Amino acid sequence: MVRWIIFFLIYAFFSFYAFQAVKTATKFGWAHIIFIAVSVLVFSNFVYQFTAGSDSRVLTQTKSFALGFLITFMTFKMVVIPLLLGEDVLRAIIGINDKFIASKEDLTIPSRRKFVSQIALGIAAIPMFSLLYGMYRGKYNFRVLKYTLHFEDLPEAFDGYQLTQLSDIHAGSFDNPDKIKYAIDLVNGQQSDCILFTGDLVNNKADEMLPWKDMFSNLQAKDGIYSVLGNHDYGDYVDWNSAEEKNQNLETLKQIQKEMGFQLLLNESTYLERDGQRLAIIGVENWGKGGFKKSGDFKKASESLDKNDFKILMSHDPSHWEEVIINDDMHVHLTLSGHTHGMQFGIEIPGWIKWSPVSWRYKYWAGIYKEKNQYINVNRGFGYLAYPGRVGIWPEITVIELKKGNSTL
């Protein structure tokens, strides 16, 4: 209860301060009423969605949208406030100067200037409408990102081999079957030799996947579809009635993957073979630093492999690569991860800038990286979680071609 009171006071302060800009910028009473009404509605809906009923930790679509609208309008207010505070400081300095330096009889603080408030509102509108766009269209703005990676020790039979990586489907967030069908067709249109899915099929519960199971069963690759578990797949963020119920949820998720044609690798490996040569696919359970589940066991998963095998590892969390894999003697040629989503928000202009707030948490957070002659691709995610949208960091379908020869990176 205390945290809700504190949150209300913070929200009320931000709303009151931002309202000063609205009141100064326009004298239209209807604009004032709309601002107040929207502020009250957004806050009330958020509190209702996150306090009513059971399963309070489970992120439903309605909760996600409540959070999305709260983030959107809080961002608007947080951009307005520094600009107003800057003007208020200047107004106070002018008033004090007039009183004590210019020796005016009364301390008079100049009124807020209309154009400053208008500028503040105009600047704040940019991220606000960007976030709204991200909720309306950005979350399904699928991009196919293609890379060609060269390896001197790639078996010749796999020269030109193409794989598609998907990650972080988060089926419990989807609300548009047509867009998902489009994305599935886009994946199949790449005609890759295999598809590798690097975890987080659902947000919380296995049954979130049921409405989408038939659609994802249409994924096609001649060498198969392989998958691993992500941190959300274990049901750790749900208040289950019993341990048995939680375990059954995980078993149901595994069965759903099997029925969709996914070969789930649980700390194990398999081989792809061509013309008497082979390529190892390794799949580990989730391993993440910073409080995330550490069920991944690379030693167990790779125990049947030869050190000289060409190896591709699927590991959901890129911190596993950073902390364990790149320093392991087995030498994994290519690791595929996801997890970060690129925070679903950032700025990317190829060749110029790539930034997201998630870069403060993860060193390897999106795209291809190379360390110690080993590669990792961190997929930005197919779906979305919490904030029901994407801005600048778009949903990703990764296509990687393996080529024999000298590295170009």
Side-chain angles (χ1 to χ4, degrees):
M1 185 62 181
V2 174
R3 64 182 180 180
W4 283 110
I5 294 174
I6 295 174
F7 178 55
F8 169 76
L9 293 175
I10 294 173
Y11 184 85
F13 170 78
F14 276 60
S15 299
F16 173 79
Y17 219 107
F19 179 67
Q20 306 309 307
V22 176
K23 189 168 62 173
T24 303
T26 176
K27 301 304 180 183
F28 295 115
W30 56 265
H32 305 168
I33 294 172
I34 290 175
F35 179 85
I36 295 172
V38 170
S39 296
V40 171
L41 180 62
V42 166
F43 181 81
S44 301
N45 183 50
F46 177 79
V47 172
Y48 173 77
Q49 294 296 339
F50 282 84
T51 58
S54 59
D55 257 356
S56 59
R57 295 177 67 190
V58 175
L59 272 172
T60 62
Q61 290 182 10
T62 53
K63 285 182 179 179
S64 293
F65 274 100
L67 177 62
F69 285 122
L70 181 78
I71 291 173
T72 298
F73 287 101
M74 279 294 286
T75 300
F76 173 82
K77 295 167 185 178
M78 290 171 66
V79 174
V80 168
I81 287 174
L83 298 173
L84 291 190
L85 280 174
E87 186 193 20
D88 287 349
V89 169
L90 181 60
R91 290 166 56 219
I93 291 174
I94 292 174
I96 293 172
N97 178 76
D98 288 345
K99 169 66 176 176
F100 297 103
I101 305 300
S103 301
K104 287 192 176 181
E105 183 175 344
D106 298 319
L107 177 62
T108 303
I109 304 297
S111 300
R112 284 194 174 89
R113 289 168 290 182
K114 182 177 180 179
F115 84 92
V116 173
S117 293
Q118 289 175 332
I119 291 174
L121 293 176
I123 294 174
I126 296 173
M128 182 185 75
F129 284 112
S130 296
L131 288 167
L132 290 174
Y133 172 84
M135 294 167 64
Y136 175 60
R137 294 185 64 91
K139 61 187 178 184
Y140 295 128
N141 188 17
F142 294 98
R143 302 293 176 89
V144 177
L145 300 185
K146 297 186 177 184
Y147 304 98
T148 299
L149 301 181
H150 293 77
F151 303 89
E152 293 183 0
D153 56 347
L154 178 71
E156 289 185 4
F158 289 91
D159 186 20
Y161 192 85
Q162 180 173 290
L163 60 89
T164 290
Q165 181 196 0
L166 303 177
S167 194
D168 300 89
I169 288 174
H170 288 289
S173 299
F174 295 152
D175 57 8
N176 191 323
D178 291 338
K179 296 294 186 181
I180 302 305
K181 182 181 183 303
Y182 163 78
I184 297 296
D185 292 341
L186 195 59
V187 174
N188 287 335
Q190 306 310 309
Q191 298 183 327
S192 289
D193 296 293
C194 73
I195 296 174
L196 304 178
F197 171 63
T198 48
D200 276 2
L201 188 66
V202 296
N203 296 346
N204 306 282
K205 296 182 176 181
D207 59 12
E208 296 169 5
M209 193 64 199
L210 294 178
W212 312 97
K213 186 176 75 170
D214 290 344
M215 199 171 291
F216 279 86
S217 297
N218 292 322
L219 286 171
Q220 299 173 359
K222 60 184 178 181
D223 287 344
I225 303 171
Y226 300 88
S227 64
V228 294
L229 297 175
N231 56 296
H232 281 267
D233 293 324
Y234 296 91
D236 288 344
Y237 310 124
V238 178
D239 294 323
W240 300 99
N241 294 320
S242 65
E244 291 75 14
E245 185 181 17
K246 180 181 179 182
N247 291 335
Q248 183 56 52
N249 176 76
L250 182 56
E251 293 305 312
T252 300
L253 185 81
K254 294 177 183 178
Q255 181 61 31
I256 288 173
Q257 293 211 26
K258 182 178 180 180
E259 292 172 359
M260 292 193 307
F262 288 24
Q263 182 175 335
L264 181 62
L265 299 177
L266 300 169
N267 292 326
E268 54 191 323
S269 61
T270 188
Y271 282 107
L272 302 177
E273 296 191 10
R274 280 190 171 186
D275 301 332
Q277 297 180 320
R278 60 187 189 176
L279 180 154
I281 301 293
I282 311 166
V284 297
E285 295 196 49
N286 191 76
W287 192 104
K289 66 179 182 180
F292 288 103
K293 181 182 287 291
K294 286 183 170 63
S295 296
D297 189 337
F298 178 67
K299 294 296 185 185
K300 178 182 177 182
S302 59
E303 62 185 2
S304 63
L305 303 181
D306 187 283
K307 188 175 181 179
N308 294 320
D309 285 332
F310 188 93
K311 296 173 285 294
I312 297 177
L313 170 68
M314 294 187 292
S315 182
H316 178 68
D317 192 317
S319 62
H320 189 208
W321 187 72
E322 179 183 4
E323 298 288 325
V324 177
I325 303 303
I326 59 176
N327 298 311
D328 195 279
D329 291 337
M330 281 296 283
H331 183 82
V332 175
H333 298 76
L334 172 62
T335 297
L336 303 177
S337 298
H339 182 61
T340 72
H341 299 205
M343 206 172 173
Q344 298 166 209
F345 175 85
I347 302 172
E348 285 196 86
I349 303 175
W352 290 85
I353 186 172
K354 184 176 80 172
W355 176 85
S356 166
V358 80
S359 63
W360 299 329
R361 171 67 174 82
Y362 290 95
K363 181 178 180 180
Y364 309 102
W365 60 274
I368 297 282
Y369 302 90
K370 184 180 181 182
E371 297 284 352
K372 299 183 178 180
N373 205 32
Q374 300 171 81
Y375 291 99
I376 185 174
N377 180 65
V378 184
N379 184 286
R380 294 160 180 81
F382 184 94
Y384 50 92
L385 181 71
Y387 165 63
R390 285 179 175 268
V391 179
I393 306 293
W394 311 116
E396 176 179 339
I397 298 164
T398 311
V399 176
I400 298 176
E401 182 185 21
L402 309 179
K403 295 292 292 183
K404 187 172 180 63
N406 294 326
S407 172
T408 56
L409 289 182

